[in-house]
Amino acid sequence: SLIENPFGFTPPPPPESHGLLNGTFDTDTEYWEVYRADGSNAEISVENGKMKVHFPNYDGWFIYSTQVYQQNISLKANKTYTLSFEISATIEKPIIVSIEKATDYNIKYLGAQNITVTTGDAVTYSFDFTMGAVSEENAKLVFQLGSFNVPGENFISHSIYIDNVTLTEKETGEPGGSEEPVVVPGVNIIPDGSFDDGIGAWESWWGDQWSGGVTSGDAIVADRMLKVIVDSIGTVSYNPQVFRPGFTLVKGVTYEVSFKAKASKNWGVVVNIGKPLTYDPWFIPYAPMQIYGLTTELQEYKYTFTVNEDTCDDIKIVFEVGLIGENAPPAIIWFDDVSIKAIED
């Protein structure tokens, strides 16, 4: 979202909050805005009753370099909503869809959903999410339509078509969203954990006033590994951190977590897996916290856990690299081959 813009620009919101507006694009794209960075020259218009997002020359280096969004959306506390939309493209392309707090992209109401848009007939997607105990008057629906580090010389001009965007509140007791997802043992549910194609849906967080201040560093992909450069740390283990949101864990299923890691010197890392919240206690653990002492040699780490909480499609795995044991920056930490797989009982 716009928090990634280094210039800190946030467009002024409409004067009043509202439900989602103009999701059928019958005549125009009113209420929808576009954010461009890192070379993106996206254009939005209406073509055949659909919103057309056209990229004549480039879509940007990062997935968030092009965003089409609507903000000032009102969401009620403790209510369940369904987001639905139709989408197609002239090339096959991965995108991310989420609903977040317009003023803080870390607060997600619908966690980042990774989908691959295909050519041909439009495909309909639907996602359910439930609000916490606090209402939101300035939520933002975001389609992140940039690239996962595609060089300009490899760029292919293309268009994405979006239509019939709805955000509806479910009635109490209304069916839907209750079927358990299909679990396939042995399949990695972190598809971008090898970093072979860039950083994927991984994100980083660098602190706030309640965690020891804003820390400095970077999280990039180098040599097909996630390279976390830590120049400073906060006063807690989770400042800073790298994390991968937006996957599903199913109640009663046992999973195996594995990853490879090393550091430029001995460095403590905490691994947490759970459901992020927008209210206190802010996080529901779905697996026991793990603490590892990394060395300068690349090693593989594994553990298993069984989900006792309700099935959730907004889970994230977090690697905390802050104040743990004797950690003293600066340091560089590498992660690779991150995997979470269901295992046979």
Side-chain angles (χ1 to χ4, degrees):
S1 69
L2 295 178
I3 194 73
E4 287 92 356
N5 180 3
F7 302 105
F9 170 73
T10 302
E16 297 180 358
S17 61
H18 48 69
L20 186 117
L21 300 174
N22 190 25
T24 56
F25 310 106
D26 295 332
T27 59
D28 55 41
T29 60
E30 186 179 6
Y31 299 105
W32 294 88
E33 302 178 65
V34 60
Y35 166 77
R36 310 171 187 86
D38 308 305
S40 169
N41 63 345
E43 305 167 348
I44 60 171
S45 61
V46 171
E47 183 177 294
N48 298 323
K50 300 179 179 182
M51 178 165 64
K52 176 183 179 181
V53 186
H54 181 57
F55 300 93
N57 303 112
Y58 196 43
D59 52 1
W61 180 247
F62 300 105
I63 188 66
Y64 55 77
S65 297
T66 300
Q67 301 176 37
V68 174
Y69 63 94
Q70 183 176 142
Q71 58 184 357
N72 274 82
I73 297 172
S74 176
L75 299 173
K76 300 176 184 176
N78 302 312
K79 297 295 184 179
T80 297
Y81 292 86
T82 299
L83 170 68
S84 180
F85 57 90
E86 299 173 5
I87 192 165
S88 64
T90 56
I91 64 170
E92 187 172 291
K93 179 175 183 174
I95 70 167
I96 295 177
V97 182
S98 64
I99 297 178
E100 59 196 42
K101 189 177 183 70
T103 56
D104 185 353
Y105 86 109
N106 289 297
I107 300 178
K108 296 270 197 308
Y109 302 114
L110 171 65
Q113 304 296 315
N114 294 265
I115 65 176
T116 299
V117 184
T118 56
T119 61
D121 294 337
V123 176
T124 300
Y125 291 90
S126 295
F127 303 102
D128 290 352
F129 65 97
T130 300
M131 291 292 291
V134 178
S135 296
E136 175 59 64
E137 298 301 318
N138 191 11
K140 181 169 69 170
L141 167 60
V142 184
F143 292 90
Q144 296 188 44
L145 307 176
S147 79
F148 286 118
N149 313 137
V150 174
E153 59 268 22
N154 296 338
F155 174 78
I156 300 172
S157 179
H158 61 277
S159 300
I160 296 175
Y161 296 90
I162 301 172
D163 198 12
N164 294 323
V165 186
T166 61
L167 182 60
T168 56
E169 178 185 331
K170 283 183 174 290
E171 297 295 334
T172 303
E174 181 180 344
S178 60
E179 294 185 4
E180 291 288 88
V182 176
V183 177
V184 182
V187 173
N188 186 10
I189 59 177
I190 309 295
D192 46 10
S194 68
F195 307 104
D196 290 340
D197 299 312
I199 203 165
W202 289 81
E203 303 179 41
S204 58
W205 185 77
W206 300 89
D208 56 24
Q209 60 182 321
W210 297 283
S211 61
V214 177
T215 50
S216 61
D218 202 0
I220 61 174
V221 170
D223 298 324
R224 295 187 174 182
M225 300 178 71
L226 179 62
K227 180 180 181 181
V228 184
I229 304 165
V230 178
D231 296 325
S232 63
I233 62 175
T235 56
V236 292
S237 64
Y238 54 83
N239 178 14
Q241 62 178 261
V242 290
F243 60 96
R244 205 291 189 181
F247 60 91
T248 300
L249 293 181
V250 177
K251 185 174 183 178
V253 175
T254 299
Y255 295 86
E256 180 185 75
V257 181
S258 66
F259 64 94
K260 297 174 182 176
K262 67 176 181 177
S264 58
K265 58 184 176 182
N266 291 347
W267 196 264
V269 170
V270 169
V271 184
N272 268 308
I273 298 175
K275 176 183 179 179
L277 302 174
T278 59
Y279 51 89
D280 192 32
W282 310 108
F283 188 82
I284 298 176
Y286 270 55
M289 180 182 70
Q290 306 291 315
I291 303 177
Y292 297 101
L294 306 186
T295 68
T296 56
E297 297 294 324
L298 187 68
Q299 299 183 50
E300 185 175 28
Y301 301 89
K302 291 185 178 182
Y303 66 97
T304 62
F305 68 95
T306 300
V307 176
N308 296 315
E309 302 287 344
D310 290 338
T311 297
C312 178
D313 64 359
D314 186 24
I315 299 296
K316 68 178 180 178
I317 181 170
V318 184
F319 292 102
E320 303 174 6
V321 295
L323 184 59
I324 303 161
E326 301 300 318
N327 285 0
I332 299 176
I333 304 101
W334 288 268
F335 296 98
D336 199 10
D337 294 331
V338 182
S339 172
I340 302 178
K341 299 178 180 179
I343 59 177
E344 300 283 1
D345 294 333

